[in-house]
Amino acid sequence: MMKEKLTLQASVTAKMDFTSTVLLYRLKSESDQLEVTELLENHQPRVRDELNSQLHELIKLRYPKQKLSNQKTKLLINQLLNSTPLHQYGVWAYYPWSNSLVHILDEAEFIEVKTNRNKHKITEAESKILSKQIVGVVGLSVGRTISATMTMERSYGEIRLADYDILELSNYNRIRSGLFDLGLNKTVSLAREIAEIDPYLKVTCFHDGLTEGNMDEFFTKNGKINVLIDECDGLDIKILLREKAKKLQIPVIMDMNDRGTMDIERFDLEPDRPLLHGLIGHLDSTKLKGLTNEEKIPYIMPMLGESTISTKLKASMLEIEQTITTWPQLASDVTLGGAVTANIYRRIILGEFTDSGRYFVDIDDIIRNKESTPFKIYEPTIYERKDDLNDSNILQYIENLDFAIQKNQLDISKAQIEIILKAATLASSTANAQPWKWCYYKQSLILLHDASVANSFGDFENLGSNISYGAALENLVQKSQKIGLFPLIESTPHKKKGSHVVAVIKFFALNNCVEELIQDNLAEFIELRCTNRRDGHYSLLEDEDLNQLVSSANSVAGVKLKLFTDPVIIRATGKLIGESDKFRFLNESGHKDFFIHEVRWTKEESEKTRDGIDLRTTELSEAAIAGLRMASDFDVIEHLKVWDGGGVFTKAATQAFEQTSAIGLFCVDKCSPENALLTGRSLARTWLKATKLNIAVQPWMSMNFNFNRLISGSGIGMDEDFADSMKKIRALYEELLGFDSQFKELFLVRFFKGNAPSIKSMRKPIKEIFFDLRSHRREL
């Protein structure tokens, strides 16, 4: 019997149709004639017999120099048939999944006609080389187009397909397949397509995808694959298959489906080449199993290249599990990738291309309006702090002050100054900006406002800075009294426009000022106090502890702490804060504040500046940090605004306040620089008390600072959407917390129980922020 079965190594189950076997009949064989007769009678297949037109093509192609007449063509066809009846010539191919019977030329003549239009771009000698190749394709969304393109060019002899997934409707935006294949395994659907294009090619399917268990079979059974094409989603498999390819010295090609990015690793020529060009370092594939799409992002981004992927893809990554379930793909990009990958594969096989690397066929960049900007590699802006106050100018800001020395006023020593300032500068400051400078002049310690640092969008009218100064002054008082000194503070926050002086502190012996002492000295907790951004757990705080917090806060005259412990109110507040955070990031000025002025992206950057938010202190997951890196590009934010996206920016607050035991609002009768200083002192005193009680504290000031700009500044600097959104949030906020019109809230913190933070924020050394003007130079 002459029948051939090109079995695609599929197992048929009751649940899934894996049928992809083409039956080839040659009717010169009596047994095949009987089977076809039975097939026609019992199954009544659709019959397509265009053999005559194929024979005409064959003859025409064999005589390219001649313009054959119809009579001459028929004569040459008859010579070719050599008295064989037309219905017995060639092969009848039966496709059981479509119940179709097609009459085609036999293999050699079929190939001759099918590949004729490849000449001379692919020579006959090259075709013979290609026909002996085994190519492996893992992942059959993008991989399907690549496979189909190689099939049309007939650039392989065997193709091995691996994918465990089935065709779903959402695949059809980029996969060319009929709807009758819905629910069908992708390997089967593609194997059928290949068989319908060219039934003589060998296709081997791995319906369970590529696994550790079948990897040896995929790579080496019945011949080692010559090139591996990786288009799979599984990160663990991406690493495993590269480890295997490297061991076997097999080149790997990957189309990244963004900006026409092609990745090529020539392990055949460079057996010691690091996986993925070393972009992701050493990865343990076992740790990558079962990750969600969001959890894959920290690994995907370095692999894709954070600085070279399109802004739309970066923005889309931020919308995963917000408005989309996975990263987007377009048919046009997939089709482009299919063409480019097939081209690279062919040239690798033929020895025309020997390099490794990453290449871009970015159609948007290549074909663009002349006046448009070409694609730029994105690099985050590194913050460069420029001090407004320095040795050369600081004296001019203070020399006109009244420094009359009072009775019993002390001239404290350098050692005492250092002890006091170390405590003062350990105070919290907005985004750890440390907006202060200090100097000692005529027996007074002077706190100055460094406008070059305190110029953020959130610090409208210096609200955040003044709260920070108040916190520093409270630490100063606590520590001074601890070492036997009484500091008399004369606060002058911005009484003169443009003034840099915040406060003048004069020191006296403690025993002369007993009536002014802080009753509950908490100086021993200054070095322990810190912002805690770790995940906590919701638990009720003891009433006694809550009362102590309120007592500490309210011991600063003019400030009242309002506590909320109802979980419903706390979580609703967290959602409002999350929305406020979102609109801050979507606003260009707010975005610049956070991503350029506040964040320190690396340990090295943090150690260099010793200010700002060290990314390590955020306690964020790797996925969240990768998200921040993508969001640092404001072009990405522009896409989110158009899409009405950005929900990812609400997550941090929403999740944090689900684990919060209480929220505290520090309130005053009106918003003023003096009251902001008092709020800072109250905040610091309360925070030290919470530290003593082993209660974690995290300030969350962005919403209140947005409110301050909205109300006190009539929304100046806010775009229309930002201002309108903050008005709505404000209305909900007031309704939720039931504000007393007599009080103005300046600051919000959350209290919770949790483990200590893994790392604390850094502080600038005293020598960088202190000037001893007794000698008009820095001495500490």
Side-chain angles (χ1 to χ4, degrees), residues 663-692:
I663 55 176
L665 287 178
F666 290 84
C667 302
V668 292
D669 60 353
K670 65 177 181 178
C671 184
S672 68
E674 292 81 3
N675 279 343
L677 284 177
L678 292 174
T679 298
R681 292 198 63 179
S682 175
L683 168 66
R685 196 174 295 182
T686 307
W687 205 329
L688 292 173
K689 175 63 75 172
T691 303
K692 180 179 180 179

mmCIF file of all heavy atoms in Angstrom, residues 663-692:
data_model
loop_
_atom_site.group_PDB
_atom_site.id
_atom_site.type_symbol
_atom_site.label_atom_id
_atom_site.label_comp_id
_atom_site.label_asym_id
_atom_site.label_seq_id
_atom_site.Cartn_x
_atom_site.Cartn_y
_atom_site.Cartn_z
ATOM 1 N N ILE A 663 -5.983 56.010 62.031
ATOM 2 C CA ILE A 663 -5.407 57.139 61.318
ATOM 3 C C ILE A 663 -5.522 58.371 62.200
ATOM 4 O O ILE A 663 -6.478 58.513 62.980
ATOM 5 C CB ILE A 663 -6.073 57.391 59.950
ATOM 6 C CG1 ILE A 663 -7.578 57.570 60.073
ATOM 7 C CG2 ILE A 663 -5.737 56.294 58.982
ATOM 8 C CD1 ILE A 663 -8.255 57.913 58.756
ATOM 9 N N GLY A 664 -4.521 59.227 62.117
ATOM 10 C CA GLY A 664 -4.509 60.426 62.940
ATOM 11 C C GLY A 664 -4.384 61.668 62.091
ATOM 12 O O GLY A 664 -3.552 61.725 61.175
ATOM 13 N N LEU A 665 -5.234 62.667 62.379
ATOM 14 C CA LEU A 665 -5.173 63.956 61.700
ATOM 15 C C LEU A 665 -4.701 65.002 62.700
ATOM 16 O O LEU A 665 -5.297 65.164 63.771
ATOM 17 C CB LEU A 665 -6.547 64.359 61.163
ATOM 18 C CG LEU A 665 -7.087 63.606 59.939
ATOM 19 C CD1 LEU A 665 -8.472 64.127 59.599
ATOM 20 C CD2 LEU A 665 -6.157 63.788 58.760
ATOM 21 N N PHE A 666 -3.631 65.705 62.347
ATOM 22 C CA PHE A 666 -3.137 66.786 63.178
ATOM 23 C C PHE A 666 -3.810 68.068 62.709
ATOM 24 O O PHE A 666 -3.622 68.489 61.553
ATOM 25 C CB PHE A 666 -1.620 66.884 63.073
ATOM 26 C CG PHE A 666 -0.912 65.731 63.730
ATOM 27 C CD1 PHE A 666 -0.714 64.541 63.049
ATOM 28 C CD2 PHE A 666 -0.462 65.826 65.044
ATOM 29 C CE1 PHE A 666 -0.075 63.472 63.652
ATOM 30 C CE2 PHE A 666 0.184 64.758 65.655
ATOM 31 C CZ PHE A 666 0.370 63.578 64.966
ATOM 32 N N CYS A 667 -4.595 68.672 63.593
ATOM 33 C CA CYS A 667 -5.446 69.790 63.211
ATOM 34 C C CYS A 667 -5.086 71.057 63.987
ATOM 35 O O CYS A 667 -4.658 70.997 65.148
ATOM 36 C CB CYS A 667 -6.916 69.455 63.474
ATOM 37 S SG CYS A 667 -7.485 67.975 62.605
ATOM 38 N N VAL A 668 -5.272 72.196 63.339
ATOM 39 C CA VAL A 668 -5.062 73.508 63.952
ATOM 40 C C VAL A 668 -6.249 74.394 63.584
ATOM 41 O O VAL A 668 -7.093 74.013 62.773
ATOM 42 C CB VAL A 668 -3.746 74.137 63.468
ATOM 43 C CG1 VAL A 668 -2.548 73.353 63.986
ATOM 44 C CG2 VAL A 668 -3.708 74.229 61.946
ATOM 45 N N ASP A 669 -6.302 75.594 64.171
ATOM 46 C CA ASP A 669 -7.449 76.455 63.881
ATOM 47 C C ASP A 669 -7.351 77.119 62.517
ATOM 48 O O ASP A 669 -8.351 77.507 61.922
ATOM 49 C CB ASP A 669 -7.632 77.501 64.984
ATOM 50 C CG ASP A 669 -6.418 78.411 65.135
ATOM 51 O OD1 ASP A 669 -5.392 78.144 64.484
ATOM 52 O OD2 ASP A 669 -6.505 79.376 65.913
ATOM 53 N N LYS A 670 -6.119 77.284 62.008
ATOM 54 C CA LYS A 670 -5.949 77.852 60.675
ATOM 55 C C LYS A 670 -4.592 77.422 60.127
ATOM 56 O O LYS A 670 -3.677 77.060 60.883
ATOM 57 C CB LYS A 670 -6.052 79.378 60.699
ATOM 58 C CG LYS A 670 -4.945 80.062 61.475
ATOM 59 C CD LYS A 670 -5.071 81.580 61.395
ATOM 60 C CE LYS A 670 -3.934 82.268 62.164
ATOM 61 N NZ LYS A 670 -4.016 83.737 62.042
ATOM 62 N N CYS A 671 -4.480 77.466 58.817
ATOM 63 C CA CYS A 671 -3.227 77.097 58.169
ATOM 64 C C CYS A 671 -2.328 78.319 58.123
ATOM 65 O O CYS A 671 -2.645 79.305 57.453
ATOM 66 C CB CYS A 671 -3.506 76.575 56.766
ATOM 67 S SG CYS A 671 -2.015 75.978 55.918
ATOM 68 N N SER A 672 -1.224 78.263 58.854
ATOM 69 C CA SER A 672 -0.263 79.358 58.877
ATOM 70 C C SER A 672 1.122 78.767 59.095
ATOM 71 O O SER A 672 1.254 77.639 59.576
ATOM 72 C CB SER A 672 -0.598 80.339 60.003
ATOM 73 O OG SER A 672 -0.387 79.717 61.269
ATOM 74 N N PRO A 673 2.172 79.521 58.768
ATOM 75 C CA PRO A 673 3.517 79.001 59.012
ATOM 76 C C PRO A 673 3.765 78.662 60.481
ATOM 77 O O PRO A 673 4.376 77.641 60.791
ATOM 78 C CB PRO A 673 4.420 80.143 58.540
ATOM 79 C CG PRO A 673 3.610 80.871 57.520
ATOM 80 C CD PRO A 673 2.207 80.795 58.015
ATOM 81 N N GLU A 674 3.263 79.515 61.391
ATOM 82 C CA GLU A 674 3.450 79.256 62.820
ATOM 83 C C GLU A 674 2.763 77.961 63.242
ATOM 84 O O GLU A 674 3.339 77.150 63.975
ATOM 85 C CB GLU A 674 2.909 80.437 63.644
ATOM 86 C CG GLU A 674 3.690 81.724 63.495
ATOM 87 C CD GLU A 674 3.340 82.517 62.240
ATOM 88 O OE1 GLU A 674 2.418 82.083 61.495
ATOM 89 O OE2 GLU A 674 3.978 83.548 61.993
ATOM 90 N N ASN A 675 1.538 77.765 62.743
ATOM 91 C CA ASN A 675 0.808 76.545 63.097
ATOM 92 C C ASN A 675 1.427 75.310 62.451
ATOM 93 O O ASN A 675 1.339 74.208 62.992
ATOM 94 C CB ASN A 675 -0.655 76.676 62.694
ATOM 95 C CG ASN A 675 -1.467 77.456 63.707
ATOM 96 O OD1 ASN A 675 -1.044 77.632 64.853
ATOM 97 N ND2 ASN A 675 -2.624 77.947 63.289
ATOM 98 N N ALA A 676 2.028 75.493 61.283
ATOM 99 C CA ALA A 676 2.715 74.363 60.657
ATOM 100 C C ALA A 676 3.901 73.925 61.510
ATOM 101 O O ALA A 676 4.158 72.719 61.677
ATOM 102 C CB ALA A 676 3.176 74.741 59.255
ATOM 103 N N LEU A 677 4.650 74.896 62.078
ATOM 104 C CA LEU A 677 5.747 74.555 62.993
ATOM 105 C C LEU A 677 5.233 73.797 64.207
ATOM 106 O O LEU A 677 5.819 72.794 64.634
ATOM 107 C CB LEU A 677 6.473 75.821 63.444
ATOM 108 C CG LEU A 677 7.428 76.495 62.459
ATOM 109 C CD1 LEU A 677 7.996 77.766 63.071
ATOM 110 C CD2 LEU A 677 8.559 75.564 62.074
ATOM 111 N N LEU A 678 4.134 74.290 64.772
ATOM 112 C CA LEU A 678 3.555 73.615 65.935
ATOM 113 C C LEU A 678 3.083 72.204 65.582
ATOM 114 O O LEU A 678 3.244 71.268 66.369
ATOM 115 C CB LEU A 678 2.388 74.441 66.481
ATOM 116 C CG LEU A 678 2.752 75.789 67.111
ATOM 117 C CD1 LEU A 678 1.480 76.571 67.471
ATOM 118 C CD2 LEU A 678 3.628 75.589 68.345
ATOM 119 N N THR A 679 2.508 72.063 64.376
ATOM 120 C CA THR A 679 2.069 70.733 63.929
ATOM 121 C C THR A 679 3.260 69.789 63.840
ATOM 122 O O THR A 679 3.182 68.619 64.231
ATOM 123 C CB THR A 679 1.365 70.837 62.566
ATOM 124 O OG1 THR A 679 0.203 71.647 62.707
ATOM 125 C CG2 THR A 679 0.964 69.472 62.054
ATOM 126 N N GLY A 680 4.388 70.296 63.324
ATOM 127 C CA GLY A 680 5.587 69.476 63.242
ATOM 128 C C GLY A 680 6.077 69.033 64.609
ATOM 129 O O GLY A 680 6.492 67.883 64.788
ATOM 130 N N ARG A 681 6.024 69.938 65.575
ATOM 131 C CA ARG A 681 6.434 69.573 66.941
ATOM 132 C C ARG A 681 5.488 68.524 67.526
ATOM 133 O O ARG A 681 5.917 67.550 68.150
ATOM 134 C CB ARG A 681 6.481 70.816 67.830
ATOM 135 C CG ARG A 681 7.593 71.799 67.476
ATOM 136 C CD ARG A 681 7.870 72.760 68.599
ATOM 137 N NE ARG A 681 8.345 72.059 69.798
ATOM 138 C CZ ARG A 681 8.687 72.661 70.935
ATOM 139 N NH1 ARG A 681 8.620 73.981 71.034
ATOM 140 N NH2 ARG A 681 9.090 71.954 71.976
ATOM 141 N N SER A 682 4.200 68.726 67.310
ATOM 142 C CA SER A 682 3.210 67.764 67.817
ATOM 143 C C SER A 682 3.390 66.405 67.150
ATOM 144 O O SER A 682 3.331 65.353 67.802
ATOM 145 C CB SER A 682 1.805 68.304 67.564
ATOM 146 O OG SER A 682 0.828 67.364 67.937
ATOM 147 N N LEU A 683 3.619 66.424 65.839
ATOM 148 C CA LEU A 683 3.844 65.185 65.098
ATOM 149 C C LEU A 683 5.052 64.438 65.651
ATOM 150 O O LEU A 683 4.991 63.227 65.910
ATOM 151 C CB LEU A 683 4.048 65.504 63.616
ATOM 152 C CG LEU A 683 4.563 64.369 62.728
ATOM 153 C CD1 LEU A 683 3.528 63.259 62.617
ATOM 154 C CD2 LEU A 683 4.937 64.890 61.333
ATOM 155 N N ALA A 684 6.173 65.152 65.816
ATOM 156 C CA ALA A 684 7.394 64.508 66.310
ATOM 157 C C ALA A 684 7.186 63.931 67.701
ATOM 158 O O ALA A 684 7.615 62.807 68.001
ATOM 159 C CB ALA A 684 8.538 65.510 66.315
ATOM 160 N N ARG A 685 6.524 64.676 68.573
ATOM 161 C CA ARG A 685 6.305 64.217 69.952
ATOM 162 C C ARG A 685 5.421 62.965 69.963
ATOM 163 O O ARG A 685 5.678 61.998 70.688
ATOM 164 C CB ARG A 685 5.672 65.334 70.782
ATOM 165 C CG ARG A 685 5.752 65.125 72.280
ATOM 166 C CD ARG A 685 5.241 66.335 73.037
ATOM 167 N NE ARG A 685 6.092 67.519 72.823
ATOM 168 C CZ ARG A 685 5.880 68.697 73.416
ATOM 169 N NH1 ARG A 685 4.839 68.843 74.254
ATOM 170 N NH2 ARG A 685 6.679 69.723 73.190
ATOM 171 N N THR A 686 4.385 62.987 69.116
ATOM 172 C CA THR A 686 3.481 61.830 69.031
ATOM 173 C C THR A 686 4.207 60.617 68.461
ATOM 174 O O THR A 686 4.027 59.480 68.921
ATOM 175 C CB THR A 686 2.279 62.179 68.127
ATOM 176 O OG1 THR A 686 1.683 63.376 68.600
ATOM 177 C CG2 THR A 686 1.266 61.053 68.119
ATOM 178 N N TRP A 687 5.038 60.858 67.477
ATOM 179 C CA TRP A 687 5.777 59.775 66.816
ATOM 180 C C TRP A 687 6.758 59.123 67.789
ATOM 181 O O TRP A 687 6.913 57.894 67.810
ATOM 182 C CB TRP A 687 6.518 60.341 65.611
ATOM 183 C CG TRP A 687 6.821 59.368 64.511
ATOM 184 C CD1 TRP A 687 7.066 58.036 64.642
ATOM 185 C CD2 TRP A 687 6.919 59.659 63.117
ATOM 186 N NE1 TRP A 687 7.329 57.476 63.417
ATOM 187 C CE2 TRP A 687 7.234 58.446 62.459
ATOM 188 C CE3 TRP A 687 6.785 60.818 62.364
ATOM 189 C CZ2 TRP A 687 7.419 58.386 61.080
ATOM 190 C CZ3 TRP A 687 6.961 60.752 60.984
ATOM 191 C CH2 TRP A 687 7.276 59.544 60.350
ATOM 192 N N LEU A 688 7.416 59.934 68.580
ATOM 193 C CA LEU A 688 8.334 59.383 69.591
ATOM 194 C C LEU A 688 7.566 58.554 70.610
ATOM 195 O O LEU A 688 8.029 57.491 71.046
ATOM 196 C CB LEU A 688 9.098 60.509 70.284
ATOM 197 C CG LEU A 688 10.100 61.272 69.406
ATOM 198 C CD1 LEU A 688 10.666 62.463 70.158
ATOM 199 C CD2 LEU A 688 11.230 60.348 68.951
ATOM 200 N N LYS A 689 6.392 59.034 70.988
ATOM 201 C CA LYS A 689 5.561 58.260 71.923
ATOM 202 C C LYS A 689 5.136 56.930 71.292
ATOM 203 O O LYS A 689 5.166 55.871 71.939
ATOM 204 C CB LYS A 689 4.333 59.078 72.325
ATOM 205 C CG LYS A 689 3.326 58.333 73.201
ATOM 206 C CD LYS A 689 3.922 57.931 74.541
ATOM 207 C CE LYS A 689 4.035 59.137 75.449
ATOM 208 N NZ LYS A 689 4.430 58.734 76.831
ATOM 209 N N ALA A 690 4.745 56.969 70.012
ATOM 210 C CA ALA A 690 4.361 55.731 69.325
ATOM 211 C C ALA A 690 5.537 54.764 69.267
ATOM 212 O O ALA A 690 5.370 53.548 69.434
ATOM 213 C CB ALA A 690 3.866 56.059 67.914
ATOM 214 N N THR A 691 6.742 55.298 69.047
ATOM 215 C CA THR A 691 7.938 54.452 69.026
ATOM 216 C C THR A 691 8.122 53.777 70.375
ATOM 217 O O THR A 691 8.435 52.579 70.455
ATOM 218 C CB THR A 691 9.175 55.291 68.666
ATOM 219 O OG1 THR A 691 8.952 55.936 67.401
ATOM 220 C CG2 THR A 691 10.415 54.425 68.574
ATOM 221 N N LYS A 692 7.915 54.534 71.436
ATOM 222 C CA LYS A 692 8.021 53.975 72.797
ATOM 223 C C LYS A 692 6.991 52.868 73.004
ATOM 224 O O LYS A 692 7.273 51.849 73.651
ATOM 225 C CB LYS A 692 7.821 55.082 73.825
ATOM 226 C CG LYS A 692 7.910 54.616 75.272
ATOM 227 C CD LYS A 692 7.725 55.784 76.233
ATOM 228 C CE LYS A 692 7.814 55.308 77.687
ATOM 229 N NZ LYS A 692 7.662 56.444 78.633
#
